[in-house]
Amino acid sequence: MSLDHLQALEAASVMPTYKRMPVEFVKGEGALLWDDEGREYLDLLAGIAVDNAGHCHPAVVAAVREQVGKLVHVSNLFYTAPGMELADRLASSSLGGKVFLCNSGAEANEAAIKMARRHRPGGEFVVLEGAFHGRTMGALSATPQAEKQGPFEPLVPGFSSVCADPDAVRAAITDRTAAVLIEPIQGEAGVHPIPDAVLEAARSACDVTGALLIFDEVQTGSGRTGNLWGYEGTTVVPDAMTVAKGLGGGFPIGALVTAEKIGSPFLAGDHGSTFAGGPVVAAAALASLEVVSEPGLLAAVRSEGARFAASLRELPGVKAVRGRGLMIGADIDGDAPALVMRALADEALVMNATGPHTLRFVPPLVISPAQLDSALTRLARLLAT
Ligand code: PLP
């Protein structure tokens, strides 16, 4: 099918919630993508921080092929091995408590919000200004951005936002607070790491008031920052975290994971999801998790991320560079969305902009040093013109 035909189908039948770039991808391998005309692209976006193990990693493909030929779905009324093994792997590699599997980041945050209400009935929620926690009504209520929330009011009551300042955060958390929900690095806002002092203030206020400190690791999890989980790169351990995006090797999955001391505030029948933890996505996630947990890969994410960020700082028109591992934001002088379009058309480089002057780099974690060098060469050309 030609791109023209796809665009005609979109115009006729697809709700216009996305502004797609004019390219049809048909194949991927590692950090490379190919369009329908055979042109090769270098991917610095990874399906928005999802394809952490790289496109079509052989281990993920093999795990999915094997599982899909055996059993696809039976529901959570029965046992299947991949979902149980995945929950065990998630808990044992992180906070050691209990896991609720679901299908996306927003769903993981919905589960976290409901769980916090079970923990403190009627309790309220504190989030940080600039946060993005998803598009469903609960997650949207936790996303204090007027243009995203405005058209869909009234929102879920009980959410308040506070600036990322230790004193302000301490003051906002009271004995009525059920949970504080924080991205350790705000991704959609333009890759803004939250200072440890702010996380520590939230941690101590939660300890005093009994509120839960929940990290939204939908974007920072699954190796993205050079640790398996983003909190490992901070001075704070949360009571729970939500993960999704990079967890499933490209397949849709999310999870809420609690610390051992929290266990499960949920009781039987409190929450559920028909597809959650299905055998195929869970098999994909187990295979992908194996890839991104590899210590050599995580070390490379840290060192290559630091090298890429340092090189970015030297490029013309780059004003600031932030981030950790291979989650990097760069503020530029020029028009970032226009540069993203030129990158695609002129340099076969896939990336995105989180704002009018901010670029975000979240490539597959398996990207090679030579591919990152090639990206820098292409970016230098783009920024120079
Ligand atoms: N939380 C964070 C930090 C995210 O970056 C996103 C998506 O960008 C979400 C939640 C929502 O995830 P999903 O799009 O899978 O619902």
Side-chain angles (χ1 to χ4, degrees), residues 272-353:
S273 168
T274 300
F275 290 113
V280 179
V281 285
L286 278 166
S288 177
L289 208 46
E290 191 73 29
V291 175
V292 302
S293 304
E294 213 270 303
L297 180 126
L298 291 171
V301 169
R302 290 193 293 273
S303 59
E304 286 304 303
R307 187 175 73 85
F308 186 73
S311 304
L312 267 182
R313 279 189 194 100
E314 303 304 317
L315 295 184
V318 173
K319 287 171 24 188
V321 177
R322 301 173 292 271
R324 199 151 63 228
L326 285 171
M327 181 171 178
I328 297 168
D331 294 337
I332 60 169
D333 275 333
D335 179 336
L339 187 128
V340 166
M341 289 301 280
R342 283 200 292 126
L344 189 75
D346 301 346
E347 296 287 352
L349 206 52
V350 178
M351 47 195 242
N352 99 319

Side-chain angles (χ1 to χ4, degrees), residues 57 103 106 201 256 346 368:
H57 190 285
N103 310 289
L256 167 63
D346 301 346
S368 70

Side-chain angles (χ1 to χ4, degrees), residues 8-338:
L9 290 179
E10 180 187 41
S13 307
V14 180
M15 291 194 192
T17 55
Y18 293 105
K19 194 166 181 301
R20 290 180 173 78
M21 296 209 254
V23 59
E24 178 196 358
F25 286 121
V26 295
K27 193 177 127 179
E29 188 182 318
L32 297 176
L33 287 165
W34 287 268
D35 71 12
D36 57 326
E37 290 171 351
R39 188 182 188 209
E40 182 184 289
Y41 295 75
L42 182 53
D43 186 6
L44 301 183
L45 182 58
I48 323 183
V50 166
D51 303 299
N52 288 13
H55 294 282
C56 298
H57 190 285
V60 177
V61 172
V64 170
R65 282 213 168 106
E66 194 193 334
Q67 185 58 48
V68 88
K70 287 199 297 201
L71 182 68
V72 174
H73 178 80
V74 288
S75 88
N76 284 306
L77 301 181
F78 307 95
Y79 288 92
T80 53
M84 293 292 149
E85 282 172 26
L86 177 62
D88 189 56
R89 178 90 180 76
L90 277 173
S92 63
S93 71
S94 62
L95 301 171
K98 296 275 197 275
V99 174
F100 177 83
L101 293 173
C102 56
N103 310 289
S104 70
E107 277 186 51
N109 286 330
E110 293 293 337
I113 291 164
K114 276 183 71 175
M115 182 192 74
R117 277 271 163 80
R118 232 333 163 200
H119 167 77
R120 179 162 279 170
E124 295 162 3
F125 295 88
V126 175
V127 298
L128 293 186
E129 287 171 5
F132 182 84
H133 296 296
R135 306 271 190 172
T136 52
M137 285 310 284
L140 180 66
S141 305
T143 296
Q145 297 180 41
E147 74 288 358
K148 292 192 174 67
Q149 292 183 332
F152 305 104
E153 287 173 351
L155 301 167
V156 178
F159 287 80
S160 62
S161 62
V162 63
C163 69
D165 166 82
D167 291 335
V169 164
R170 248 187 304 270
I173 301 169
T174 70
D175 55 10
R176 292 187 310 281
T177 308
V180 182
L181 184 58
I182 297 180
E183 299 159 84
I185 303 174
Q186 290 188 334
E188 299 305 300
V191 189
H192 290 279
I194 301 302
D196 280 336
V198 175
L199 301 178
E200 285 165 15
R203 178 68 279 172
S204 59
C206 285
D207 288 342
V208 169
T209 60
L212 296 178
L213 178 60
I214 304 175
F215 277 6
D216 177 342
E217 296 241 18
V218 167
Q219 204 162 143
T220 51
S222 312
R224 174 58 53 198
T225 64
N227 291 109
L228 185 54
W229 310 113
Y231 74 83
E232 296 171 297
T234 76
T235 52
V236 160
V237 178
D239 297 313
M241 66 173 184
T242 55
V243 294
K245 283 195 182 284
L247 180 61
F251 287 81
I253 189 164
L256 167 63
V257 186
T258 64
E260 198 175 359
K261 68 173 185 202
I262 303 300
S264 175
F266 276 145
L267 306 176
D270 268 358
H271 201 46
S273 168
T274 300
F275 290 113
V280 179
V281 285
L286 278 166
S288 177
L289 208 46
E290 191 73 29
V291 175
V292 302
S293 304
E294 213 270 303
L297 180 126
L298 291 171
V301 169
R302 290 193 293 273
S303 59
E304 286 304 303
R307 187 175 73 85
F308 186 73
S311 304
L312 267 182
R313 279 189 194 100
E314 303 304 317
L315 295 184
V318 173
K319 287 171 24 188
V321 177
R322 301 173 292 271
R324 199 151 63 228
L326 285 171
M327 181 171 178
I328 297 168
D331 294 337
I332 60 169
D333 275 333
D335 179 336

